């Protein structure tokens, strides 16, 4: 992913998450909580899409799909 986010941001932590951290971030609802009330950066949406397309763990693939769908749906709602 280019450009790399600042190392102290939530987004930087996402990009460098290990397998178990990734599962917790996706399945634990952390990413949803972060972006339901504010815009999701395009880099994060692209990152979720890449996980959905390339990861080997079906549970993580399914979770990334669900998170991406909810974030996109939330972004289109009129507030």
């Amino acid at each position: 992913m280019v450009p790399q986010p600042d190392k102290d941001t939530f987004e930087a932590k996402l990009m460098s998450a290990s397998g178990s951290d990734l599962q917790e971030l996706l399945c634990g609802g952390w990413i949803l909580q972060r972006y339901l009330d504010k815009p999701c950066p395009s880099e994060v949406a692209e990152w979720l899409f890449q996980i959905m397309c390339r990861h080997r763990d079906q549970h993580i693939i399914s979770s990334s799909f669900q998170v991406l769908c909810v974030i996109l749906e939330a972004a289109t709602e009129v507030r």
Side-chain angles (χ1 to χ4, degrees):
M1 205 173 267
V2 177
Q4 287 293 328
D6 187 24
K7 294 199 183 255
D8 291 333
T9 65
F10 181 77
E11 289 78 16
K13 289 178 172 77
L14 289 178
M15 306 307 156
S16 64
S18 68
S20 60
D21 292 339
L22 180 61
Q23 185 168 351
E24 176 62 27
L25 287 164
L26 285 168
C27 303
W30 295 99
I31 297 173
L32 278 178
Q33 289 300 315
R34 176 73 177 195
Y35 297 115
L36 277 179
D37 294 329
K38 64 180 176 178
C40 176
S42 60
E43 294 87 5
V44 174
E46 182 179 335
W47 174 79
L48 285 166
F49 183 75
Q50 292 296 326
I51 290 171
M52 190 176 68
C53 293
R54 296 182 177 174
H55 207 279
R56 295 175 188 223
D57 184 316
Q58 187 60 41
H59 187 64
I60 289 178
I61 292 169
S62 176
S63 295
S64 64
F65 175 75
Q66 291 171 348
V67 168
L68 187 57
C69 286
V70 171
I71 288 172
L72 291 172
E73 185 178 323
T76 62
E77 289 181 358
V78 177
R79 296 179 188 237

